[in-house]
Amino acid sequence: MTGSTKNYRWAFSSDFLVIEPYLFMNNRQLFLQHLAQTTDFPLLIEVEKAEGVYLHGPNGEKYIDLISGIGVSNVGHRHPKVLEAIQAQLDKYLHLMVYGEYVQSPQTKLAEALCKTLPPHLDNVYLVNSGSEAIEGALKLAKRYTGKRNIISCVNAYHGSSHGALSVGGNEIFKRAYRPLLPGVTNIHYGALADLEQINPDTAAVVMETIQGEAGIRVGTKDYFQALRKKCDEMGALLILDEIQAGFGRTGKFWAFEHFEIVPDIIVCAKGMGGGMPIGAFIANKEVMGVFKNNPLLGHITTFGGHPVSAAASIATIEVLKNESLIEQVEGKANLIKSLLIHPKIQEIRNKGLMMAVKFESFEVLKPIIDRAIALGVITDWFLFCDDSMRIAPPLTITEEELKKACQLILQAIEAS
C-alpha cells in the first residue's frame, strides 16, 4: 500500500513503513537534476512552443530567435510544408532497416534533390544523423580512397565533438582534455596563402569550413579558394568542405562554395538541412564513394542515418528554400541588419549573407548585452572561439519588420548595458 503527504511519499512493506522525501519538481528543476549538463550556466530558457522566428515560453514569454538553434531552422520553426511532409511520412513508415539496405522513397528522393543542387561531379550521397557523423564519414572516405593518412585542417576550425571531428578541430582548449586524438593532423591558418605549401603528397585531405563559423565568421577570398583547389589537385589530396553551418542558403547561395567558383571533392552538410529534424550527409563522386563497398564491405555503417521522417523533412526544406525565394532575399536582409546595427560600441560586422558576427570590445562588454537582449525578447549568442562577437543567424524566413524589431531591441540592450 502506498500514499503521500505534502512533502513525503510513504509505502508499507510486510515488515516496516518506509518514508522518503518526495519533491514536486518543475521542468527547470528536472532539467538540472536529470539531464546531462554541458556548462555550469545554461541559458535555462523554457520553451513551450516555437513557430516561425519566435519561441514562446510557458508564462507568455516571446523571443525572436536570431540564431536559428545555431543555424538549424533555416526555414523557420515548424514550417507548414515541413510539418506536412513529416505527417505524410508518419502515416507510411518510420525506421525499417539499417542504412543502405532497403529502397526507401524519402532517402532516394532526397539524394536526387541534393544532387540537383550540386555540380554533376558530386552525384553520390551518404545520409547520416548529424554534422559530426558526416565529418567522420568524410574523413574515413578520404583516407580509404587515397590510401593516405595525413589530414590538414584549420586553426580555430570547428567540425564537431566526436573523436575524429574533434581531431580536425582547430582549438586546443577543446582538444587537450581528450588526447590522444587522431594522429597525422596538421593545422594551417584559414585564408593564408603561404600555409597552403603544407599540403604535400602525403596529404589525404584538406578539411575546411567554407566560411569559418565558430572562429567568428571568417570569409576567405576567391583567390585563396582557387589556390587551395589547385594545390589539392597537384598533391592528390581530396578537398572536403564543411558546410554544416554555411549550407542550405545561409550565405545567399545554396552552397557557400558557389561564391568562390570551385568544386570540392566531398561536401559535408547538416544543421539547416532538415527543417528542424536531425539529419546530415556527406556527398562525393560515385567512384570515390564506391570504396566503402569492399575491403572491407560495409566500410561505413549507420543505423538511423537518413531516417525516413528526417529525409522527408529535408526534401520539404529544399522545396521551401526554392519555392519561397528565400535564398534570393538573404543579401538584402543582411544589408538591412548592417544598416540598422550602428552604435559606438559595435566595432565591426563580419558576414557572408545571414551568417553574421557583430564585434564588440570584449566578452565582458558583449555578455551583458546578450543577457539584456534575451530579457527584452531577442536571442543571440557568441562564438566558441570568438567571444567578443555576437552571433546573428536568423531563420531565412524572417521578415524585414521582424528584423527591424530585433535590431531595435539589440540597440536597446546595448544602451542598457
Side-chain angles (χ1 to χ4, degrees):
M1 185 172 70
T2 62
S4 66
T5 61
K6 183 177 181 182
N7 294 314
Y8 293 89
R9 180 177 60 202
W10 53 266
F12 282 110
S13 73
S14 59
D15 299 316
F16 52 85
L17 170 66
V18 178
I19 301 177
E20 57 186 5
Y22 181 72
L23 300 176
F24 295 94
M25 292 187 179
N26 61 31
N27 278 339
R28 181 172 296 202
Q29 292 167 327
L30 289 168
F31 172 91
L32 293 170
Q33 180 70 23
H34 294 301
L35 278 178
Q37 303 293 297
T38 57
T39 72
D40 288 324
F41 42 89
L43 286 173
L44 289 176
I45 295 172
E46 188 171 347
V47 179
E48 192 171 77
K49 185 177 180 180
E51 191 137 21
V53 301
Y54 292 100
L55 307 181
H56 300 270
N59 301 308
E61 304 94 337
K62 185 177 181 181
Y63 307 94
I64 300 174
D65 182 3
L66 274 196
I67 55 176
S68 305
I70 313 299
V72 169
S73 303
N74 280 16
V75 297
H77 296 280
R78 300 178 66 252
H79 191 287
K81 293 295 184 183
V82 174
L83 295 183
E84 182 182 317
I86 290 171
Q87 184 60 58
Q89 185 55 42
L90 290 177
D91 291 337
K92 295 176 182 176
Y93 54 83
L94 303 181
H95 174 76
L96 298 177
M97 180 58 166
V98 297
Y99 175 81
E101 296 298 324
Y102 291 177
V103 179
Q104 301 181 51
S105 178
Q107 292 180 352
T108 58
K109 289 181 178 178
L110 173 57
E112 179 188 33
L114 286 168
C115 290
K116 285 182 177 179
T117 70
L118 288 161
H121 178 75
L122 295 168
D123 62 0
N124 211 246
V125 179
Y126 197 117
L127 296 171
V128 292
N129 301 287
S130 68
S132 289
E133 190 181 337
I135 287 289
E136 297 287 344
L139 294 175
K140 285 176 64 178
L141 183 61
K143 291 167 72 175
R144 177 70 181 84
Y145 181 76
T146 64
K148 305 174 187 179
R149 295 294 175 262
N150 294 338
I151 306 289
I152 290 177
S153 60
C154 288
V155 173
N156 282 340
Y158 182 78
H159 298 288
S161 271
S162 53
H163 258 72
L166 189 62
S167 298
V168 295
N171 188 286
E172 187 59 28
I173 292 173
F174 277 75
K175 297 167 70 167
R176 62 192 177 200
Y178 304 102
R179 291 191 177 280
L181 293 168
L182 191 68
V185 176
T186 302
N187 287 151
I188 61 175
H189 290 85
Y190 175 90
L193 281 166
D195 281 14
L196 299 183
E197 291 304 313
Q198 295 187 49
I199 305 170
N200 59 55
D202 295 323
T203 304
V206 177
V207 56
M208 184 179 293
E209 297 162 277
T210 313
I211 311 297
Q212 278 202 311
E214 298 311 314
I217 314 303
R218 310 294 172 174
V219 185
T221 66
K222 185 183 294 186
D223 287 346
Y224 173 75
F225 275 102
Q226 292 186 349
L228 169 65
R229 176 69 276 179
K230 182 180 179 183
K231 190 69 173 179
C232 286
D233 289 340
E234 290 172 352
M235 296 297 153
L238 298 188
L239 176 57
I240 303 170
L241 289 184
D242 175 344
E243 300 220 359
I244 293 168
Q245 286 195 54
F248 281 74
R250 178 135 307 271
T251 68
K253 292 186 180 291
F254 197 97
W255 302 105
F257 71 78
E258 297 176 64
H259 293 284
F260 307 109
E261 297 179 10
I262 62 162
V263 179
D265 298 295
I266 304 174
I267 188 82
V268 177
C269 54
K271 288 190 181 292
M273 179 179 178
M277 293 294 287
I279 192 167
F282 57 103
I283 307 169
N285 182 263
K286 188 172 184 179
E287 176 195 345
V288 175
M289 199 75 81
V291 299
F292 277 154
K293 294 189 292 185
N294 53 66
N295 296 322
L297 55 80
L298 301 175
H300 192 67
I301 307 171
T302 173
T303 297
F304 294 111
H307 190 284
V309 177
S310 294
S314 186
I315 295 167
T317 297
I318 294 171
E319 292 173 351
V320 168
L321 288 170
K322 292 182 175 180
N323 295 339
E324 297 185 11
S325 301
L326 295 177
I327 299 174
E328 291 80 0
Q329 300 170 35
V330 164
E331 197 60 34
K333 291 175 180 178
N335 288 336
L336 177 62
I337 292 171
K338 289 191 286 187
S339 73
L340 294 172
L341 286 185
I342 298 174
H343 191 278
K345 289 186 179 179
I346 295 175
Q347 298 185 346
E348 178 188 17
I349 297 180
R350 301 182 297 273
N351 79 295
K352 195 67 175 175
L354 286 173
M355 198 172 175
M356 312 185 80
V358 182
K359 186 181 186 311
F360 293 82
E361 181 182 347
S362 65
F363 179 73
E364 288 70 28
V365 172
L366 173 60
K367 182 59 165 62
I369 294 170
I370 289 174
D371 292 342
R372 182 62 181 159
I374 291 173
L376 291 170
V378 178
I379 297 175
T380 65
D381 196 8
W382 65 92
F383 299 89
L384 286 179
F385 313 139
C386 183
D387 64 8
D388 65 0
S389 296
M390 175 187 289
R391 184 196 307 267
I392 295 182
L396 307 188
T397 54
I398 196 167
T399 66
E400 289 191 0
E401 288 306 308
E402 289 165 339
L403 279 175
K404 289 175 183 177
K405 181 180 179 181
C407 290
Q408 178 187 6
L409 292 174
I410 290 173
L411 291 172
Q412 187 177 333
I414 295 172
E415 286 293 327
S417 300

